[in-house]
Amino acid sequence: MRFNRIYHLIFCAVLAWTVGCTGNGTSDNEKVQATWQRYDEAYRAKDLNRALSILDSMETEKIISTPKADYLRGLNYDQGWQMKIAEHLYKKAYEGYASDPSQDWYTYTDAGYRWACLRFGRGDTEGALSVITDLLHQAEGNEAFPKRVEYALLMLMADAQLQLQHYDEAKLTGQKAYEAVQQNADNNSRKGWEMAWACMNISDIHHTTGDIEGAQAWLDRCAQGLALAEQEQDDSLLIEEWKGHVALVRALYLQESGHAADAAATFAAIPQSRLMEPKGYTEAAEYLMATGRYNEAAYWYEQLGSTYLATDGAKMTFDNIATRLSPRYSVYRKIGRNADALVLADSISAAIDSALVWQKQNDAAELAVIYQTHEKELALKEAKVETRIHRVLLIAALLVILLIGYLFWRARQYNKVLLEKNRRLLADIEQREQEQQQAIEQLKAESEENLTANQQLFRRICDLMDGPDHIYTDTDLDRNRLAQLLGTNEHYVTDAISTCTEGKSVNGFLNEYRLRYAARLLATTTVAVTVIAELSGFSRSSFFRVFSDAYGMSPSEYRKVAGK
């Protein structure tokens, strides 16, 4: 059992009570207090656009600093499950405070913790550990460092060590996290909940390393923490959910330690209302698989799959395949649902391809870091050269400055010509897209009896593309997936698109929708181009090439001309 997204969400909710939507650094000015209240209401109502608008005005009026505004924006996107943007904003906030964390230790450290959580959640374990290590180094002997964030960082580090199979280190780090919880307990009104959270994670660590006895001992401490949280009148719904987690984990531990009857009794006594969230679904399925109740296990794995489909999802890593897809495939085979198993096998194959691509990209990033380190070493050596060479370099620098000035003048002349050309291209693009849209609208307006089978299917495809979910932004969408959504054969989909679009491929057809979506974001938002690429369903590496080929200009050039 590994660190789950639910632990991140729940503990971040606890931290939010401290940093909260009320912020820090507010004055007694009634207008400022009223602004914070409006933001608080928007945040709690999950009204993303309104909350972001209020934050923009607060930053403009200098009620809050830019790093604080980025952090609060990250909270809003995180709450809305838009994890890519949230991670980007947490990173900006963290780096914004890095030069002087004393401005706001809590926001600085919590932004770093959340950034590390999201990096770890998408498989960047080394990147998460680098942030955690840096923060924990600053915590040493620092009374201003928030204790809650310190033990949250320790717990995240333990789980990262666990993933790297550093089992002894993970246990030791988990023990340190628990000690930090205990040290903070005296001045903490939510000590019961925090004790439960820490003990559940440490129990997971011991279970993963095969120490069932140690796992059961820490699970008992978790139950004690929940009992204390109830006495503190903490969030009753959250406590009920966690009682379900404790009972499910206890049933699994009893089963694995040979107490099958006690395990079955424990599982049977869990109210259905306590089986909530992906973590609970996984725990129920794991217990049922261990007892051979495969039909029931299949139900909970299906519930787990439906839940993940309802979110923007995490990057498909090999761990995610192992925990979410492979067990479901196994249980289908065990109960004889071979057709469902074959469909899922195709999904696993596609997921493995996706994970391999991500792994290659991660390897490339590591090589880039090595290259940058090498460049720094060369720069240090060059700094020790003789004075004569420095003088030559200074003269060369002056010549370069003159050359840059000339090139800048030439670039301005060139940009004027380029801008006019891009304006003409934009007009042609808009005309072409308008004609395409009119053709689709005419097709939709036709009576079904007057349409061929290909035209009818193409009309259904267009209706699916025009839906509010922007399904084409899913990077995994291909002709096979499109056929599944339409309940037809992938060859029919290919024929329909080719016939009704003058020979376009399925991928080319999907890319047209993705490009139009990206173009709208470029023209109407200030979101970074690389983020828009991911939000539109492209990889960063392919987006610039595909966009330039289609529109005759780069995304940045398009944003510039479309905004005028």
Side-chain angles (χ1 to χ4, degrees):
M1 297 165 64
R2 297 291 181 90
F3 185 95
N4 193 279
R5 169 70 179 157
I6 187 172
Y7 289 154
H8 161 65
L9 285 174
I10 293 172
F11 193 74
C12 284
V14 174
L15 294 178
W17 280 98
T18 304
V19 180
C21 308
T22 56
N24 52 21
T26 59
S27 72
D28 293 330
N29 184 284
E30 292 183 1
K31 181 180 177 182
V32 173
Q33 295 289 354
T35 303
W36 274 112
Q37 185 175 355
R38 287 191 295 110
Y39 169 72
D40 181 71
E41 292 170 353
Y43 178 82
R44 293 179 185 277
K46 299 184 180 181
D47 188 344
L48 177 62
N49 292 331
R50 182 170 167 237
L52 293 178
S53 176
I54 295 170
L55 287 173
D56 290 342
S57 67
M58 292 169 76
E59 182 182 3
T60 301
E61 296 170 13
K62 300 192 182 301
I63 296 174
I64 54 176
S65 65
T66 296
K68 179 75 172 184
D70 286 333
Y71 168 75
L72 293 174
R73 291 185 187 108
L75 287 179
N76 282 273
Y77 280 111
D78 200 342
Q79 180 178 241
W81 284 85
Q82 299 187 51
M83 302 309 170
K84 298 181 184 72
I85 300 178
E87 181 183 342
H88 173 70
L89 291 167
Y90 289 146
K91 177 177 181 288
K92 284 185 63 180
Y94 176 72
E95 293 175 345
Y97 282 117
S99 61
D100 184 12
S102 62
Q103 299 174 70
D104 188 344
W105 271 106
Y106 208 112
T107 304
Y108 166 66
T109 56
D110 190 46
Y113 167 70
R114 292 168 185 267
W115 180 32
C117 277
L118 293 178
R119 293 182 76 172
F120 180 66
R122 63 178 173 79
D124 184 8
T125 306
E126 289 78 8
L129 278 172
S130 69
V131 178
I132 296 167
T133 303
D134 179 60
L135 283 169
L136 289 176
H137 178 71
Q138 297 180 61
E140 295 176 1
N142 185 349
E143 294 297 326
F145 199 98
K147 285 295 180 183
R148 278 182 175 169
V149 181
E150 182 180 354
Y151 62 71
L153 287 164
L154 284 166
M155 195 59 69
L156 183 58
M157 172 178 272
D159 203 72
Q161 291 167 338
L162 191 65
Q163 189 177 81
L164 297 172
Q165 298 183 1
H166 300 162
Y167 296 138
D168 292 337
E169 294 178 19
K171 287 182 179 180
L172 181 60
T173 305
Q175 182 66 40
K176 289 180 180 178
Y178 180 73
E179 291 169 359
V181 171
Q182 294 297 92
Q183 291 172 8
N184 191 49
D186 293 338
N187 300 315
N188 182 5
S189 61
R190 297 171 63 85
K191 60 185 179 183
W193 157 247
E194 292 176 6
M195 176 180 170
W197 177 82
C199 293
M200 175 62 86
N201 277 276
I202 299 170
S203 177
D204 281 349
I205 292 170
H206 283 262
H207 178 248
T208 303
T209 60
D211 180 9
I212 301 297
E213 184 177 346
Q216 289 175 327
W218 283 105
L219 188 65
D220 290 338
R221 291 185 184 179
C222 176
Q224 293 169 9
L226 287 179
L228 181 58
E230 260 188 314
Q231 295 174 12
E232 296 166 352
Q233 297 182 337
D234 212 331
D235 187 331
S236 59
L237 180 61
L238 185 60
I239 290 173
E240 284 301 304
E241 179 183 333
W242 267 70
K243 283 181 179 179
H245 288 315
V246 171
L248 286 166
V249 173
R250 191 180 300 282
L252 181 62
Y253 290 174
L254 287 168
Q255 181 69 28
E256 291 180 351
S257 60
H259 299 87
D262 292 338
T266 301
F267 183 81
I270 303 172
Q272 190 79 2
S273 60
R274 288 184 180 172
L275 298 179
M276 296 180 281
E277 300 292 343
K279 182 67 175 174
Y281 303 158
T282 303
E283 290 164 344
E286 287 176 349
Y287 166 74
L288 292 166
M289 285 288 287
T291 60
R293 293 157 66 176
Y294 300 124
N295 281 296
E296 295 174 73
Y299 167 79
W300 288 111
Y301 279 128
E302 287 164 356
Q303 292 296 106
L304 177 66
S306 299
T307 301
Y308 275 104
L309 289 174
T311 71
D312 69 351
K315 185 178 288 295
M316 184 54 70
T317 64
F318 291 108
D319 280 344
N320 282 335
I321 294 169
T323 57
R324 286 170 44 193
L325 300 182
S326 296
R328 187 173 168 188
Y329 172 80
S330 298
V331 77
Y332 281 165
R333 292 298 303 272
K334 287 181 181 294
I335 60 179
R337 291 171 58 178
N338 294 329
D340 291 335
L342 288 174
V343 171
L344 192 59
D346 290 338
S347 299
I348 293 174
S349 177
I352 291 172
D353 290 340
S354 176
L356 287 170
V357 169
W358 173 84
Q359 186 172 336
K360 289 178 180 178
Q361 292 172 343
N362 193 52
D363 291 343
E366 291 179 358
L367 289 173
V369 172
I370 295 172
Y371 174 77
Q372 291 170 2
T373 303
H374 179 64
E375 288 292 297
K376 289 178 181 178
E377 291 174 353
L378 289 177
L380 290 174
K381 291 179 181 179
E382 290 174 359
K384 299 177 181 179
V385 296
E386 297 178 1
T387 305
R388 181 178 59 83
I389 297 177
H390 282 288
R391 290 174 180 173
V392 172
L393 291 176
L394 179 60
I395 295 171
L398 291 173
L399 292 174
V400 168
I401 290 172
L402 292 174
L403 178 61
I404 289 173
Y406 171 74
L407 292 176
F408 179 74
W409 176 80
R410 288 293 304 269
R412 290 191 64 182
Q413 302 302 314
Y414 171 79
N415 286 337
K416 289 180 181 178
V417 176
L418 181 63
L419 184 61
E420 289 302 318
K421 184 201 79 168
N422 287 343
R423 283 175 176 166
R424 291 193 297 271
L425 282 173
L426 180 61
D428 292 341
I429 291 166
E430 291 174 346
Q431 177 65 26
R432 184 177 70 236
E433 291 181 349
Q434 184 177 4
E435 290 172 356
Q436 291 174 348
Q437 189 60 36
Q438 287 175 350
I440 292 174
E441 293 300 327
Q442 289 176 358
L443 182 65
K444 291 181 177 180
E446 282 287 340
S447 174
E448 190 167 338
E449 301 84 45
N450 298 331
L451 301 177
T452 65
N454 278 336
Q455 288 174 326
Q456 291 177 18
L457 179 55
F458 183 71
R459 184 162 69 178
R460 289 177 58 203
I461 294 171
C462 291
D463 288 339
L464 185 62
M465 293 297 104
D466 293 335
D469 294 334
H470 304 308
I471 190 172
Y472 46 82
T473 61
D474 183 353
T475 55
D476 294 329
L477 184 65
D478 55 13
R479 67 173 188 171
N480 182 40
R481 177 65 178 148
L482 197 56
Q484 291 177 0
L485 293 172
L486 294 165
T488 186
N489 184 281
E490 60 185 22
H491 298 295
Y492 292 155
V493 171
T494 302
D495 290 343
I497 291 175
S498 178
T499 302
C500 298
T501 60
E502 299 181 354
K504 290 178 184 173
S505 66
V506 174
N507 192 50
F509 174 76
L510 293 175
N511 278 348
E512 282 191 349
Y513 275 89
R514 291 166 177 158
L515 287 170
R516 283 198 290 271
Y517 183 69
R520 285 199 301 273
L521 293 178
L522 288 167
T524 59
T525 72
T526 58
V527 176
V529 174
T530 52
V531 175
I532 288 176
E534 294 180 355
L535 295 177
S536 304
F538 289 102
S539 66
R540 293 185 180 186
S541 58
S542 66
F543 176 63
F544 292 90
R545 174 181 55 78
V546 174
F547 191 99
S548 298
D549 289 345
Y551 286 178
M553 66 185 89
S554 70
S556 299
E557 291 171 343
Y558 182 92
R559 169 172 274 171
K560 183 176 180 181
V561 72
K564 290 185 179 292

